[in-house]
């Protein structure tokens, strides 16, 4: 499951030619698979770059995708998922991460400037593990205590990895060892736990959410609340971000944090897909604000923010039961209206999940044949446009 037959002779020559267009699959990539230099944002050519894929999948409007770019590294290195497996790309060439048996699926969630990746793998028995990995290595490194597989994870350029465990405690690792635990803010309600740890910037500020989901038998009521949180780099106490809204069944899903401490994410209202993108700005004394969604989309998310250029990306949505228009990748420059990115094929869905300072946006898009493909928009801000109702 972790490798493909070797190629030789004419087959190798044909594969090399095909790689120029679509990428090829390798088991783990050559040990020398270091990222090459990428052109600057000013010099790049606007396009949608389709990356190599393992098999084929279809778009899932209500959940995670089986193919897509989730993180962008230095040069031509990107990471994510293909065919439901954790992968990375050098250019358009896709490489499988060598999973530890009996892992059956997974994804790479982030990568830093030095090529250190963090991901998660799901085992056939219903368990799994968090791991780190470097391009071309013979094996991945499981993270001790990384047993919560339905959360998120991130890594900064100093090599600090963040996530949370099944017990609802946030964790920080360095060089494969746990170095810090993260607790809910002191002002969080009783019975709160760390629900998500989603981002860490290069200063070491960490973003995520705490949650309380507790049945109060004394008052016969379910207590349910979601709290956006930042854990400061200096190790000081966790800080609750001022709520971005209110109401029954609302949940704030913090997704990323940039170098200035700007936090992005989205709110979810009710049992449907009423997503609304939000952003919070340090020192977090004011409630989060939303730039809205591009017309005619009623809902949208922010999934990532660039480290220093204040570009946020996500997906504009309709409710999947009322798909007036297919989902579309969206981009916000920090001011003005939220824009959309070109589709890979007319009327086909797309989604954006990663953005870098050099102008790239990573995600997934459906082609004219209805197949979901991992993609990168280069010079993305120059491609973005105002959607029409």
């Amino acid at each position: 499951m972790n490798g493909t037959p070797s190629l030789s002779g004419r087959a190798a020559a044909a594969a090399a030619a095909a790689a120029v267009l679509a990428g090829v699959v390798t088991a783990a990539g050559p040990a020398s698979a270091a990222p090459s230099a990428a052109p600057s944002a000013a010099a790049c050519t606007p396009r949608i770059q389709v990356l190599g894929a393992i098999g084929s999948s279809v778009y899932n409007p209500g959940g995670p995708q089986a193919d897509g770019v989730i993180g962008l590294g230095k040069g031509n290195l990107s990471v994510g998922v293909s065919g439901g497996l954790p992968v990375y790309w050098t250019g358009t060439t896709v490489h499988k991460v060598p999973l530890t048996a009996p892992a059956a699926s997974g994804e790479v969630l982030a990568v830093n400037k030095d090529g250190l990746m963090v991901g998660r793998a799901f085992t056939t028995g219903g368990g799994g593990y968090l791991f780190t990995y470097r391009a071309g290595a013979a094996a991945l490194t499981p993270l001790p205590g990384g047993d919560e597989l339905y959360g998120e994870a991130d890594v900064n350029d100093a090599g600090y990895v963040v996530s949370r465990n099944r017990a609802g405690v946030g964790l920080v690792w360095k060089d494969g060892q746990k170095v810090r635990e993260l607790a809910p803010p002191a002002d969080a309600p009783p019975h709160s736990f760390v629900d998500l740890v989603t981002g860490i910037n290069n200063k070491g500020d960490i973003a995520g959410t705490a949650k309380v989901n507790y049945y109060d038998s004394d008052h016969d009521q379910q207590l349910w609340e979601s709290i956006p949180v930042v854990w400061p780099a200096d190790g000081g106490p966790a800080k609750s971000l001022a709520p971005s809204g209110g109401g029954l069944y609302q949940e704030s899903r913090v997704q990323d944090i940039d170098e200035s401490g700007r936090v992005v994410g989205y709110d979810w209202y009710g049992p449907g897909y009423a997503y609304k993108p939000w952003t919070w700005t340090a020192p977090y004394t004011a409630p989060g604000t939303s730039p809205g969604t591009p017309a005619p989309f009623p809902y949208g998310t922010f999934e990532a923010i660039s480290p220093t250029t204040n570009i946020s990306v996500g997906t504009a949505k309709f409710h999947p039961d009322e798909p007036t228009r297919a989902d579309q990748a969206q981009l916000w420059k920090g001011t003005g209206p939220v824009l959309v990115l070109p589709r890979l094929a007319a009327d086909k869905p797309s989604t954006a999940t990663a953005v870098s300072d050099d102008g790239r946006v990573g995600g997934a898009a459906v082609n004219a044949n209805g197949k979901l493909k991992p993609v990168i928009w280069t010079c993305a801000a120059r491609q973005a446009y105002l959607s029409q109702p």
Side-chain angles (χ1 to χ4, degrees):
M1 140 181 167
N2 297 326
T4 55
S6 62
L7 298 174
S8 61
R10 294 180 181 176
V20 175
L21 296 177
V24 296
V25 179
T26 67
S32 60
S36 64
S40 67
C44 69
T45 301
R47 59 175 174 156
I48 306 177
Q49 185 179 35
V50 179
L51 308 187
I54 300 170
S56 64
S57 62
V58 296
Y59 185 71
N60 176 15
Q65 309 304 324
D67 280 87
V69 175
I70 302 175
L72 295 164
K74 185 178 180 180
N76 66 355
L77 180 65
S78 53
V79 302
V81 59
S82 186
L85 295 170
V87 300
Y88 66 97
W89 293 267
T90 49
T92 59
T93 303
V94 61
H95 311 270
K96 293 180 184 178
V97 171
L99 293 175
T100 302
S105 62
E107 55 191 343
V108 182
L109 297 165
V111 59
N112 71 6
K113 70 177 179 62
D114 296 320
L116 179 65
M117 308 173 198
V118 60
R120 56 187 173 186
F122 302 91
T123 63
T124 53
Y129 51 88
L130 285 169
F131 64 84
T132 57
Y133 180 74
R134 290 186 183 274
L140 52 75
T141 301
L143 291 174
D147 60 356
E148 176 47 63
L149 302 178
Y150 297 95
E152 296 291 338
D154 197 15
V155 58
N156 70 2
D157 288 346
Y160 287 92
V161 174
V162 295
S163 188
R164 64 112 169 177
N165 64 17
R166 195 168 297 179
V169 177
L171 299 176
V172 184
W173 294 267
K174 181 72 164 66
D175 299 325
Q177 301 299 316
K178 186 180 76 172
V179 296
R180 183 182 175 188
E181 292 189 351
L182 308 172
D187 58 358
H191 308 288
S192 294
F193 58 92
V194 175
D195 183 47
L196 291 173
V197 182
T198 52
I200 180 170
N201 62 19
N202 289 327
K203 286 172 53 182
D205 300 318
I206 301 166
T209 57
K211 182 183 283 187
V212 57
N213 189 359
Y214 172 73
Y215 178 70
D216 183 357
S217 58
D218 292 338
H219 299 88
D220 190 27
Q221 63 177 339
Q222 188 75 24
L223 302 177
W224 191 94
E225 186 178 351
S226 174
I227 306 106
V229 180
V230 168
W231 291 270
D234 61 9
K239 184 175 182 61
S240 299
L241 278 60
S244 54
L248 189 64
Y249 301 124
Q250 178 176 323
E251 181 173 353
S252 293
R253 296 184 177 180
V254 168
Q255 295 294 85
D256 203 4
I257 184 169
D258 75 358
E259 297 307 308
S260 73
R262 188 180 291 106
V263 173
V264 298
Y266 56 95
D267 280 352
W268 170 69
Y269 300 83
Y273 294 85
Y275 301 121
K276 187 174 184 179
W278 286 90
T279 181
W280 293 262
T281 304
Y284 317 116
T285 53
T289 59
S290 177
T293 55
F297 295 96
Y299 312 130
T301 69
F302 282 156
E303 307 286 351
I305 185 169
S306 59
T308 66
T309 58
N310 197 18
I311 301 292
S312 301
V313 299
T315 305
K317 297 174 174 283
F318 278 87
H319 193 289
D321 293 338
E322 302 171 350
T324 304
R325 190 175 294 184
D327 291 355
Q328 189 166 3
Q330 67 178 21
L331 180 149
W332 186 52
K333 299 179 181 180
T335 59
V338 179
L339 308 175
V340 293
L341 289 167
R343 300 179 186 273
L344 186 58
D347 303 322
K348 301 296 185 182
S350 60
T351 182
T353 48
V355 58
S356 62
D357 278 348
D358 63 7
R360 293 174 295 156
V361 168
V366 175
N367 66 15
N369 295 323
K371 301 301 182 182
L372 185 67
K373 298 295 181 182
V375 298
I376 292 175
W377 288 267
T378 58
C379 308
R382 289 161 57 186
Q383 296 193 58
Y385 62 94
L386 192 64
S387 178
Q388 297 301 313

